[in-house]
Amino acid sequence: MRRDEAVVSRVVGSAAAAAWGASLVGCFEASVIALSGGGLSEYGLFPFGFWAYAALGVTLSLPIVVVGPWVRARWQQPEGALQALTSGAVAFPITLVVARYHLAQRYFGEQMPAPWSGVGLLLYPGLVVCALLVSLLIAVLVVAVRGRGRFTSVRLGASWAVAFALLTVGARALRVEEPAPLRQARATKPSPNVVLFVVDTLRADALGIAGGQAKTPHMDALAADGVWFRDAYAQSSWTRPSIATILTGEYPAVHGAVHKFDPLPEDMETLAERLRAAGYWTAAFVTNINVAPIFNFDQGFGEYHYLAPSFYFGASDSATRLSIYKLLRLLRERFLHRRIYYYHYYQDAAVVTDHVSRWLAESPPEPFFLFIHYMDPHDPYFEIPYNGRGIARVAEPNPPPERAEEMRRLYASDVAYFDQHFGALIERFRQRGLYERTLFVLTADHGEEFYEHGGWWHGTTLYEEQIRVPLIIRLPAGANRAQQRTDLAQTLDIVPTVLAQAGLPVPHELPGRDLFSNREQPEVLYAHESLEGNEIEALRWGPWKLIVANEGNPRGLPRVALFHLIDDPFEQADLRGRHPEIVQELSAKLEKFRGDVQKGVRNHR
């Protein structure tokens, strides 16, 4: 073999071997996600995982390509052995990282046990052994694929390219296309249309009517024309469990959509399913990946319009669950590009309102249930008008405290931007003569923290700024107009309230209440959070609020905290030392409440 052929063979062979090894790991991760999630609809995972991991493998192989000639000369090993070594050496760390990522996400609440703990002493050596076995298997496969004879390295690279092409074409052929909705007029008893607005990350105190910094004339007008529940609470402080509660009327522990890989279970009956069974046409417009069809939030909807962002690197929504995507996105946003735009995260209020307006113009069958999820208050906080500037959690997870006012200002600007387009959509309902015969519910899945308790964003505490949310209900024909209620309400109450207003029976097993019935407010309010290693519960009883967190939680929360919300609405004075008897009483109530929730879990199994 001539010298130039040897160089080509060495470079192509090592790179192709690394690509093979890494891309096989990517396909394995994609298979795990697809089999535990959406099946064939997960087609986007495979080509993305294949090429993204292959590119990573080639990058990691560069040191071996450089030292390869020295290794061959010193050890007198054939080129095939070097390529097998390259593939295995690259596959080992990738396999180790991927396995650790999925174990943490699926089984350890995103927080792996310490290596020196009892579990860690068994877990980490097991991970290493598994990664070694996978690396050995991949090395054997690379040797088998490369074959013998001349141009074996070129053959290895060509076979990788062919495999990628076939995988891409085959995956797209397996794509499950959603059938066009078949709208049929149906004869039903007169019932109001129902429109449920969920505004992601909208704090209860963000509205103008609540004294917020943002100008929100249109949400304020809806409150003035309806019933404003001033003390409403979400049952969790991040999107998926909270939205699942809003749509099912069940606590997170019951519906089970609690962690980042958890779908909404098929056996949970959603509000859409209940209304559809009663003759409603059901439709949704969402733009948050946490409630995308891959997580089964479309169950019960005749139309589920997922307005997907333009994900980085050409990824599909399913591909964003690959660990390689998390890494690439982090590198891009934190180190490579400082300008950011909303469409890489979600479709903004203008886009959502435009889609819903066109849907209304098509005169959908009545009565209809319409679920609309807006994202604008969620991070990144963008400057409006958009100019590429914003503050994103992934790029700046821990901003300095002095940025709090800037972040509040940007957040308020985004809330006002949403309100403008929300008002435009309400006007569409008026123009089409739908406003007076429609039940409108506006709420949020959770709030947001601006360093009130030493942190940012959401999902890691259950303080008031993260679980108090707006709740406005505008009844058909303006019934109960201009009421402000101070009794405690929950997003858990939305399902029974909507069912009652639609003239349907409220199942007795639902833990929430019809907010317009004579049923008294519950003795206690409960919220639960399990995210990023933080296991937190909150119980409100009258003016008292108990927060219990797991020992050693990453957020650094105290194991137990007690607050008196009337005297201390911002939860700055922990009274657990001064009122141990209240802590004891609330702890007993919390223990009893856990038992009641577990009964609900068992009833759904």
Side-chain angles (χ1 to χ4, degrees), residues 291-528:
V291 295
I294 59 173
F295 294 112
N296 203 32
F297 278 76
D298 57 339
Q299 65 185 62
F301 287 96
E303 301 176 55
Y304 200 82
H305 302 276
Y306 172 49
L307 310 178
S310 299
F311 293 111
Y312 294 126
F313 319 114
S316 65
D317 54 345
S318 60
T320 63
R321 293 195 282 171
L322 292 163
S323 50
I324 186 69
Y325 180 84
K326 310 288 188 186
L327 173 64
L328 292 173
R329 179 189 172 192
L330 180 67
L331 293 174
R332 184 193 187 282
E333 295 204 354
R334 196 167 292 183
F335 303 110
L336 300 179
H337 292 274
R338 303 303 296 175
R339 292 203 170 271
I340 55 177
Y341 296 92
Y342 72 88
Y343 45 78
H344 288 309
Y345 301 86
Y346 55 78
Q347 299 300 332
D348 75 348
V351 175
V352 175
T353 291
D354 178 64
H355 278 78
V356 178
S357 296
R358 285 189 273 131
W359 183 84
L360 290 173
E362 296 173 359
S363 300
E366 295 186 58
F368 58 75
F369 167 54
L370 179 59
F371 169 47
I372 311 171
H373 188 175
Y374 284 94
M375 278 290 290
D376 302 79
H378 196 285
D379 85 279
Y381 311 134
F382 292 106
E383 288 196 354
I384 304 292
Y386 298 117
N387 58 10
R389 294 184 60 189
I391 301 176
R393 183 176 189 171
V394 65
E396 301 180 66
N398 294 296
E402 54 268 22
R403 297 199 72 182
E405 187 52 41
E406 175 192 8
M407 294 170 73
R408 285 180 177 274
R409 175 182 59 81
L410 292 174
Y411 173 83
S413 176
D414 293 346
V415 170
Y417 178 79
F418 156 73
D419 185 77
Q420 171 190 347
H421 292 283
F422 169 74
L425 184 57
I426 291 295
E427 184 58 28
R428 300 289 188 278
F429 280 94
R430 294 185 187 276
Q431 292 171 354
R432 302 199 65 81
L434 295 169
Y435 184 79
E436 290 300 326
R437 62 176 185 267
T438 297
L439 169 69
F440 293 97
V441 180
L442 183 144
T443 191
D445 50 353
H446 53 75
E448 189 81 323
E449 182 180 359
F450 293 101
Y451 213 72
E452 289 90 345
H453 291 91
W456 308 96
W457 322 113
H458 56 267
T460 58
T461 79
L462 293 176
Y463 293 117
E464 295 288 282
E465 62 268 12
Q466 289 204 21
I467 60 172
R468 275 196 70 226
V469 294
L471 178 58
I472 299 170
I473 300 179
R474 198 272 179 186
L475 299 173
N480 297 8
R481 179 181 282 118
Q483 284 191 9
Q484 294 186 22
R485 287 178 46 175
T486 57
D487 53 319
L488 297 179
Q490 309 173 84
T491 55
L492 195 75
D493 300 326
I494 289 174
V495 169
T497 300
V498 169
L499 292 176
Q501 290 298 314
L504 301 174
V506 178
H508 69 277
E509 65 270 14
L510 289 178
R513 63 180 176 124
D514 169 14
L515 291 169
F516 297 99
S517 69
N518 294 324
R519 183 175 170 184
E520 294 183 356
Q521 68 180 31
E523 181 190 18
V524 296
L525 297 187
Y526 174 79
H528 172 254

Side-chain angles (χ1 to χ4, degrees), residues 71-88:
V71 172
R72 288 190 62 201
R74 186 174 182 83
W75 290 352
Q76 297 297 310
Q77 296 296 319
E79 187 175 335
L82 178 62
Q83 291 172 2
L85 174 65
T86 302
S87 64

Side-chain angles (χ1 to χ4, degrees), residues 99-176:
R100 185 187 184 282
Y101 170 77
H102 281 275
L103 282 173
Q105 291 286 330
R106 295 171 184 271
Y107 302 107
F108 294 103
E110 303 175 62
Q111 194 75 10
M112 288 287 283
W116 53 86
S117 67
V119 175
L121 290 174
L122 295 174
L123 181 65
Y124 287 95
L127 280 174
V128 171
V129 170
C130 288
L132 285 172
L133 291 175
V134 169
S135 302
L136 178 61
L137 176 62
I138 287 174
V140 171
L141 289 174
V142 166
V143 171
V145 170
R146 100 185 264 281
R148 297 185 178 185
R150 295 190 64 186
F151 301 110
T152 54
S153 297
V154 175
R155 186 184 302 120
L156 187 65
S159 65
W160 180 89
V162 170
F164 172 68
L166 291 175
L167 181 65
T168 303
V169 173
R172 290 191 176 275
L174 290 173
R175 180 179 181 179
V176 178

